mmCIF file of all heavy atoms in Angstrom:
data_model
loop_
_atom_site.group_PDB
_atom_site.id
_atom_site.type_symbol
_atom_site.label_atom_id
_atom_site.label_comp_id
_atom_site.label_asym_id
_atom_site.label_seq_id
_atom_site.Cartn_x
_atom_site.Cartn_y
_atom_site.Cartn_z
ATOM 1 N N PHE M 285 -157.690 103.003 41.892
ATOM 2 C CA PHE M 285 -158.193 102.294 40.721
ATOM 3 C C PHE M 285 -157.016 101.958 39.813
ATOM 4 O O PHE M 285 -155.926 102.525 39.943
ATOM 5 C CB PHE M 285 -159.213 103.137 39.935
ATOM 6 C CG PHE M 285 -158.890 104.607 39.894
ATOM 7 C CD1 PHE M 285 -157.851 105.101 39.124
ATOM 8 C CD2 PHE M 285 -159.630 105.507 40.653
ATOM 9 C CE1 PHE M 285 -157.538 106.442 39.095
ATOM 10 C CE2 PHE M 285 -159.323 106.873 40.633
ATOM 11 C CZ PHE M 285 -158.289 107.334 39.851
ATOM 12 N N HIS M 286 -157.238 101.029 38.890
ATOM 13 C CA HIS M 286 -156.214 100.698 37.898
ATOM 14 C C HIS M 286 -156.119 101.842 36.895
ATOM 15 O O HIS M 286 -157.104 102.554 36.648
ATOM 16 C CB HIS M 286 -156.572 99.394 37.185
ATOM 17 C CG HIS M 286 -155.447 98.811 36.400
ATOM 18 N ND1 HIS M 286 -155.271 99.053 35.048
ATOM 19 C CD2 HIS M 286 -154.415 97.995 36.775
ATOM 20 C CE1 HIS M 286 -154.193 98.415 34.623
ATOM 21 N NE2 HIS M 286 -153.653 97.768 35.643
ATOM 22 N N TRP M 287 -154.935 102.031 36.320
ATOM 23 C CA TRP M 287 -154.748 103.165 35.406
ATOM 24 C C TRP M 287 -155.696 103.119 34.222
ATOM 25 O O TRP M 287 -156.062 104.174 33.672
ATOM 26 C CB TRP M 287 -153.296 103.274 34.944
ATOM 27 C CG TRP M 287 -152.819 102.197 34.006
ATOM 28 C CD1 TRP M 287 -152.135 101.065 34.336
ATOM 29 C CD2 TRP M 287 -152.966 102.167 32.580
ATOM 30 N NE1 TRP M 287 -151.853 100.320 33.217
ATOM 31 C CE2 TRP M 287 -152.346 100.978 32.119
ATOM 32 C CE3 TRP M 287 -153.550 103.021 31.646
ATOM 33 C CZ2 TRP M 287 -152.319 100.623 30.780
ATOM 34 C CZ3 TRP M 287 -153.520 102.670 30.294
ATOM 35 C CH2 TRP M 287 -152.903 101.482 29.880
ATOM 36 N N THR M 288 -156.131 101.926 33.811
ATOM 37 C CA THR M 288 -157.068 101.809 32.688
ATOM 38 C C THR M 288 -158.465 102.304 33.056
ATOM 39 O O THR M 288 -159.308 102.500 32.172
ATOM 40 C CB THR M 288 -157.158 100.353 32.217
ATOM 41 O OG1 THR M 288 -157.530 99.521 33.328
ATOM 42 C CG2 THR M 288 -155.837 99.873 31.653
ATOM 43 N N GLN M 289 -158.709 102.500 34.356
ATOM 44 C CA GLN M 289 -160.006 103.002 34.828
ATOM 45 C C GLN M 289 -159.855 104.397 35.439
ATOM 46 O O GLN M 289 -160.635 104.800 36.300
ATOM 47 C CB GLN M 289 -160.585 102.033 35.864
ATOM 48 C CG GLN M 289 -160.789 100.620 35.320
ATOM 49 C CD GLN M 289 -161.139 99.620 36.416
ATOM 50 O OE1 GLN M 289 -160.587 99.671 37.512
ATOM 51 N NE2 GLN M 289 -162.076 98.735 36.116
ATOM 52 N N TYR M 290 -158.862 105.131 34.976
ATOM 53 C CA TYR M 290 -158.511 106.428 35.549
ATOM 54 C C TYR M 290 -159.688 107.391 35.614
ATOM 55 O O TYR M 290 -160.452 107.543 34.665
ATOM 56 C CB TYR M 290 -157.387 107.062 34.729
ATOM 57 C CG TYR M 290 -157.046 108.469 35.141
ATOM 58 C CD1 TYR M 290 -156.422 108.719 36.359
ATOM 59 C CD2 TYR M 290 -157.372 109.551 34.317
ATOM 60 C CE1 TYR M 290 -156.106 110.015 36.747
ATOM 61 C CE2 TYR M 290 -157.045 110.849 34.688
ATOM 62 C CZ TYR M 290 -156.426 111.070 35.908
ATOM 63 O OH TYR M 290 -156.123 112.349 36.288
ATOM 64 N N ARG M 291 -159.837 108.018 36.765
ATOM 65 C CA ARG M 291 -160.825 109.070 36.979
ATOM 66 C C ARG M 291 -160.095 110.290 37.561
ATOM 67 O O ARG M 291 -159.238 110.141 38.428
ATOM 68 C CB ARG M 291 -161.928 108.619 37.951
ATOM 69 C CG ARG M 291 -162.693 107.392 37.467
ATOM 70 C CD ARG M 291 -163.872 107.078 38.367
ATOM 71 N NE ARG M 291 -163.478 106.798 39.752
ATOM 72 C CZ ARG M 291 -163.064 105.597 40.178
ATOM 73 N NH1 ARG M 291 -162.984 104.592 39.331
ATOM 74 N NH2 ARG M 291 -162.747 105.416 41.439
ATOM 75 N N LYS M 292 -160.426 111.445 37.079
ATOM 76 C CA LYS M 292 -159.744 112.658 37.524
ATOM 77 C C LYS M 292 -160.026 112.939 38.999
ATOM 78 O O LYS M 292 -161.155 112.804 39.463
ATOM 79 C CB LYS M 292 -160.173 113.853 36.670
ATOM 80 C CG LYS M 292 -159.719 113.745 35.219
ATOM 81 C CD LYS M 292 -160.173 114.931 34.388
ATOM 82 C CE LYS M 292 -159.706 114.787 32.942
ATOM 83 N NZ LYS M 292 -160.156 115.916 32.084
ATOM 84 N N TYR M 293 -158.979 113.321 39.705
ATOM 85 C CA TYR M 293 -159.091 113.632 41.125
ATOM 86 C C TYR M 293 -159.582 115.062 41.330
ATOM 87 O O TYR M 293 -159.430 115.926 40.462
ATOM 88 C CB TYR M 293 -157.736 113.477 41.816
ATOM 89 C CG TYR M 293 -157.308 112.048 42.052
ATOM 90 C CD1 TYR M 293 -156.386 111.436 41.207
ATOM 91 C CD2 TYR M 293 -157.807 111.323 43.122
ATOM 92 C CE1 TYR M 293 -155.965 110.124 41.433
ATOM 93 C CE2 TYR M 293 -157.392 110.018 43.364
ATOM 94 C CZ TYR M 293 -156.479 109.428 42.513
ATOM 95 O OH TYR M 293 -156.069 108.139 42.741
ATOM 96 N N GLN M 294 -160.128 115.296 42.508
ATOM 97 C CA GLN M 294 -160.519 116.625 42.948
ATOM 98 C C GLN M 294 -159.598 117.056 44.090
ATOM 99 O O GLN M 294 -158.966 116.219 44.729
ATOM 100 C CB GLN M 294 -161.982 116.615 43.424
ATOM 101 C CG GLN M 294 -162.985 116.236 42.350
ATOM 102 C CD GLN M 294 -163.001 117.219 41.190
ATOM 103 O OE1 GLN M 294 -162.889 118.444 41.395
ATOM 104 N NE2 GLN M 294 -163.126 116.713 39.967
ATOM 105 N N PRO M 295 -159.512 118.352 44.379
ATOM 106 C CA PRO M 295 -158.707 118.778 45.530
ATOM 107 C C PRO M 295 -159.203 118.117 46.809
ATOM 108 O O PRO M 295 -160.391 117.779 46.925
ATOM 109 C CB PRO M 295 -158.924 120.298 45.563
ATOM 110 C CG PRO M 295 -159.332 120.655 44.180
ATOM 111 C CD PRO M 295 -160.111 119.486 43.659
ATOM 112 N N ILE M 296 -158.289 117.933 47.757
ATOM 113 C CA ILE M 296 -158.639 117.269 49.004
ATOM 114 C C ILE M 296 -158.159 118.108 50.184
ATOM 115 O O ILE M 296 -157.107 118.747 50.117
ATOM 116 C CB ILE M 296 -158.022 115.850 49.057
ATOM 117 C CG1 ILE M 296 -158.483 115.098 50.304
ATOM 118 C CG2 ILE M 296 -156.503 115.913 48.966
ATOM 119 C CD1 ILE M 296 -158.027 113.640 50.318
ATOM 120 N N ASP M 297 -158.955 118.125 51.243
ATOM 121 C CA ASP M 297 -158.597 118.885 52.437
ATOM 122 C C ASP M 297 -157.659 118.040 53.295
ATOM 123 O O ASP M 297 -158.090 117.312 54.183
ATOM 124 C CB ASP M 297 -159.857 119.249 53.224
ATOM 125 C CG ASP M 297 -159.548 120.148 54.414
ATOM 126 O OD1 ASP M 297 -158.437 120.711 54.452
ATOM 127 O OD2 ASP M 297 -160.407 120.276 55.308
ATOM 128 N N CYS M 298 -156.361 118.119 52.983
ATOM 129 C CA CYS M 298 -155.358 117.310 53.681
ATOM 130 C C CYS M 298 -154.078 118.130 53.829
ATOM 131 O O CYS M 298 -153.594 118.704 52.859
ATOM 132 C CB CYS M 298 -155.062 116.022 52.909
ATOM 133 S SG CYS M 298 -153.773 114.998 53.662
ATOM 134 N N ASN M 299 -153.586 118.192 55.048
ATOM 135 C CA ASN M 299 -152.323 118.874 55.304
ATOM 136 C C ASN M 299 -151.369 117.976 56.077
ATOM 137 O O ASN M 299 -150.584 118.438 56.905
ATOM 138 C CB ASN M 299 -152.571 120.181 56.073
ATOM 139 C CG ASN M 299 -153.194 121.247 55.191
ATOM 140 O OD1 ASN M 299 -152.586 121.675 54.220
ATOM 141 N ND2 ASN M 299 -154.419 121.642 55.514
ATOM 142 N N ALA M 300 -151.429 116.673 55.796
ATOM 143 C CA ALA M 300 -150.584 115.705 56.497
ATOM 144 C C ALA M 300 -149.119 115.848 56.110
ATOM 145 O O ALA M 300 -148.239 115.409 56.839
ATOM 146 C CB ALA M 300 -151.070 114.284 56.211
ATOM 147 N N CYS M 301 -148.854 116.447 54.954
ATOM 148 C CA CYS M 301 -147.469 116.596 54.511
ATOM 149 C C CYS M 301 -147.300 117.914 53.780
ATOM 150 O O CYS M 301 -148.281 118.596 53.455
ATOM 151 C CB CYS M 301 -147.070 115.438 53.590
ATOM 152 S SG CYS M 301 -147.559 115.682 51.854
ATOM 153 N N TYR M 302 -146.048 118.257 53.532
ATOM 154 C CA TYR M 302 -145.745 119.307 52.572
ATOM 155 C C TYR M 302 -144.562 118.847 51.734
ATOM 156 O O TYR M 302 -143.541 119.517 51.618
ATOM 157 C CB TYR M 302 -145.471 120.650 53.244
ATOM 158 C CG TYR M 302 -145.706 121.805 52.285
ATOM 159 C CD1 TYR M 302 -146.982 122.069 51.792
ATOM 160 C CD2 TYR M 302 -144.665 122.596 51.839
ATOM 161 C CE1 TYR M 302 -147.201 123.092 50.896
ATOM 162 C CE2 TYR M 302 -144.876 123.632 50.943
ATOM 163 C CZ TYR M 302 -146.159 123.867 50.471
ATOM 164 O OH TYR M 302 -146.395 124.878 49.566
ATOM 165 N N TYR M 303 -144.734 117.637 51.159
ATOM 166 C CA TYR M 303 -143.744 117.124 50.217
ATOM 167 C C TYR M 303 -143.626 118.098 49.051
ATOM 168 O O TYR M 303 -144.557 118.857 48.746
ATOM 169 C CB TYR M 303 -144.186 115.774 49.647
ATOM 170 C CG TYR M 303 -144.224 114.620 50.606
ATOM 171 C CD1 TYR M 303 -145.252 113.679 50.507
ATOM 172 C CD2 TYR M 303 -143.236 114.424 51.573
ATOM 173 C CE1 TYR M 303 -145.298 112.583 51.365
ATOM 174 C CE2 TYR M 303 -143.278 113.342 52.424
ATOM 175 C CZ TYR M 303 -144.321 112.419 52.320
ATOM 176 O OH TYR M 303 -144.361 111.340 53.162
ATOM 177 N N ALA M 304 -142.505 118.026 48.356
ATOM 178 C CA ALA M 304 -142.335 118.872 47.180
ATOM 179 C C ALA M 304 -143.402 118.578 46.130
ATOM 180 O O ALA M 304 -143.890 119.491 45.461
ATOM 181 C CB ALA M 304 -140.943 118.678 46.588
ATOM 182 N N CYS M 305 -143.807 117.310 45.996
ATOM 183 C CA CYS M 305 -144.808 116.976 44.972
ATOM 184 C C CYS M 305 -146.145 117.648 45.276
ATOM 185 O O CYS M 305 -146.901 117.968 44.363
ATOM 186 C CB CYS M 305 -144.969 115.460 44.833
ATOM 187 S SG CYS M 305 -145.457 114.585 46.332
ATOM 188 N N ARG M 306 -146.440 117.897 46.572
ATOM 189 C CA ARG M 306 -147.660 118.605 46.931
ATOM 190 C C ARG M 306 -147.482 120.109 46.704
ATOM 191 O O ARG M 306 -148.302 120.769 46.055
ATOM 192 C CB ARG M 306 -148.019 118.330 48.389
ATOM 193 C CG ARG M 306 -149.365 118.980 48.831
ATOM 194 C CD ARG M 306 -149.142 120.215 49.677
ATOM 195 N NE ARG M 306 -150.375 120.955 49.908
ATOM 196 C CZ ARG M 306 -151.133 120.826 50.978
ATOM 197 N NH1 ARG M 306 -150.798 119.977 51.923
ATOM 198 N NH2 ARG M 306 -152.227 121.550 51.102
ATOM 199 N N GLY M 307 -146.394 120.664 47.265
ATOM 200 C CA GLY M 307 -146.194 122.102 47.183
ATOM 201 C C GLY M 307 -145.922 122.600 45.779
ATOM 202 O O GLY M 307 -146.417 123.661 45.376
#
Side-chain angles (χ1 to χ4, degrees):
F285 37 73
H286 194 266
W287 70 264
T288 56
Q289 301 170 320
Y290 174 70
R291 300 187 300 276
K292 294 179 180 179
Y293 285 101
Q294 298 298 321
I296 185 173
D297 185 15
C298 177
N299 287 297
C301 84
Y302 203 65
Y303 292 142
C305 58
R306 184 256 170 96

